[in-house]
């Protein structure tokens, strides 16, 4: 597939340990970018695992994406803060 912002080819790598790779540019770092990438990662996670352990039977499929996106965004923010890259 082609990534719009780079125009370059993005290879989809599949292995059992990782479900995505997120590359961030420090000069362009913002909550918008972190959230955007977290949603991509959450989509990859839900497509790969099909886990629904954090939602009840009555919840929508939208929740299947939103909970992992929030978890991933939080972990990215914590990592960036601990490394001194996030203010």
């Amino acid at each position: 597939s082609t990534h719009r912002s780079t125009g370059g080819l993005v290879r989809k790598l599949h292995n059992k340990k990782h479900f995505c790779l997120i590359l961030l540019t420090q000069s362009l770092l913002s909550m918008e970018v972190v959230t955007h990438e977290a949603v991509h990662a959450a989509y990859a996670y839900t497509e790969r695992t099909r886990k629904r352990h954090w939602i009840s039977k009555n919840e929508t499929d939208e929740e299947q994406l939103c909970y992992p996106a929030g978890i991933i965004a939080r972990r990215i923010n914590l990592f960036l803060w601990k490394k001194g890259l996030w203010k």
Side-chain angles (χ1 to χ4, degrees), residues 3-51:
H3 194 276
R4 191 174 41 164
S5 66
T6 63
L9 188 63
V10 177
R11 258 173 59 193
K12 293 184 178 184
L13 305 175
H14 298 281
N15 67 49
K16 293 181 182 189
K17 186 176 179 184
H18 302 98
F19 57 88
C20 76
L21 175 65
I22 297 174
L23 303 174
L24 299 170
T25 303
Q26 189 173 359
S27 63
L28 300 175
L29 205 53
S30 68
M31 191 63 221
E32 180 181 351
V33 171
V34 169
T35 303
H36 175 96
E37 296 304 328
V39 171
H40 280 299
Y43 181 79
Y45 175 79
T46 57
E47 286 294 304
R48 185 106 181 247
T49 64
R50 297 290 184 194
K51 289 186 179 179

Side-chain angles (χ1 to χ4, degrees), residues 55-68:
I55 62 174
S56 70
K57 290 186 281 186
N58 300 329
E59 296 289 345
T60 64
D61 286 342
E62 191 174 294
E63 295 297 329
Q64 183 179 358
L65 180 66
C66 293
Y67 277 104

